[in-house]
Structures are given as structure tokens and as C-alpha cells.
Amino acid sequence: MASEKQKMLAGELYVATGEELAADARRVAEWMDRYNASIASTQRDYSTLLREMLAEVGEGAYIRPPFHCDYGYNISLGAGVFLNFNCVILDVVKVTIGDRTQIGPGVQILTADHPREPAQRRAGLEFGRPVTIGADVWIGGGAIVLPGVTIGDGAIVGAGAVVTRDVAAGATVVGNPARERPA
């Protein structure tokens, strides 16, 4: 029988309780306290801290504190990725961010989702859908990327946009829900 963590990582319905997930949550909370309180002298110092918790950290990737995430170990950053202040990544499953992508302040990237049936929600069930963001993407401040979304290479997401569906490579989307801006 799969553990709740194994079910979570597989994108299946799970209950976010139990010692294994609680231990992971405590570990990332302690790490976030250190990361967000740090005044690293160089970007390299931040990179060392990021590599302690994240799945992958490409050369020159940088997240300006404060930063918040669920577990950390499901986040992969490509080379030269930049996340500005106050970004939140709910990473119950994989979040992949491609090379040279720039993410504005206050952006939320959410993989955590919930069943549509009230009885399942009452039972505490949830699941995750991965988010993939391509290379050379620009996401404006305050945007929200919802579970299961893929954003193609070179796309632009306007500030404050709520991205509910996939964004094609090179497209510019704005609004709530985000829609492609006419050329």
C-alpha cells in the first residue's frame, strides 16, 4: 500500500497528514526560515542554500527572499532563472522552470488541487498536477499559475494574470482568466 507521500508524488488523491509529510514540512519550514533570514553576501551563497532543498538549481539561478514553498524537493530551476520577492510555489508535485525565465514579485505557482466532490474534500483528500514553465518566459508580478498548466518557451504572462490553461510558446497572455492578447 502506497504512503500518503507516494500518492502525493504520483498525483493521486492523498491526505496531507502523517509523519512522513509532517517531517518534510518541518524540514522545509526550517530551511525557509534560514533562507528568508539570510543576508547572503553573494548570489553564489543563495545558490548554495537553494541546492540544499530544491531538486535542481541551474547555474546562476536566484530567488530573492522571502520565498515560500510546500516541500522544495519538487522544484527544478534552470540556469539563470530569477524569482523576485515574495514568490510562492506549492510544490506537491513537480514544478519545472526553464532556463533564463524571469518571475516577478508575488507570483504564485500552484500544483496543489482539490477534488470537485464535496465529500472527498470533507475527507481531507487533495492531489497535485505538475506545472511546467519553459525557457525565456517572463511572468509579471502578482500572476497566479494554476495546477496542471504548461507555459511554452518565450511566453509572456502579464502582471496579475490568472493562468488557468496552457500558454503557447511565444504567446502573451493577460487578464483573469488569462487570455492571449491580440497581435
Side-chain angles (χ1 to χ4, degrees), residues 29-50:
E30 291 168 2
W31 175 83
M32 282 187 296
D33 285 346
R34 280 191 306 116
Y35 188 81
N36 291 330
S38 68
I39 302 175
S41 59
T42 67
Q43 191 168 330
R44 171 173 275 182
D45 293 343
Y46 282 116
S47 182
T48 299
L49 286 168
L50 290 171

Side-chain angles (χ1 to χ4, degrees), residues 53-74:
M53 189 55 56
L54 305 188
E56 294 179 40
V57 179
E59 185 67 35
Y62 176 52
I63 300 174
R64 292 179 86 176
F67 168 68
H68 303 279
C69 62
D70 270 334
Y71 298 103
Y73 50 65
N74 289 316

Side-chain angles (χ1 to χ4, degrees), residues 114-126:
H114 300 276
R116 304 314 180 248
E117 289 295 320
Q120 289 181 317
R121 290 194 305 271
R122 277 193 301 273
L125 293 170
E126 57 187 76

Side-chain angles (χ1 to χ4, degrees), residues 5 8-9 14 16 20-32 53-54 67-75 87-95 109-114 126-129 147:
K5 180 177 179 176
M8 177 188 82
L9 295 173
Y14 73 98
E20 188 175 23
L21 287 175
D24 288 351
R26 281 191 303 274
R27 188 180 75 184
V28 76
E30 291 168 2
W31 175 83
M32 282 187 296
M53 189 55 56
L54 305 188
F67 168 68
H68 303 279
C69 62
D70 270 334
Y71 298 103
Y73 50 65
N74 289 316
I75 301 170
C87 285
V88 173
I89 301 178
L90 300 186
D91 65 308
V92 301
V93 293
K94 286 190 75 152
V95 173
I109 300 170
L110 314 174
T111 67
D113 206 342
H114 300 276
E126 57 187 76
F127 64 99
R129 295 187 290 145

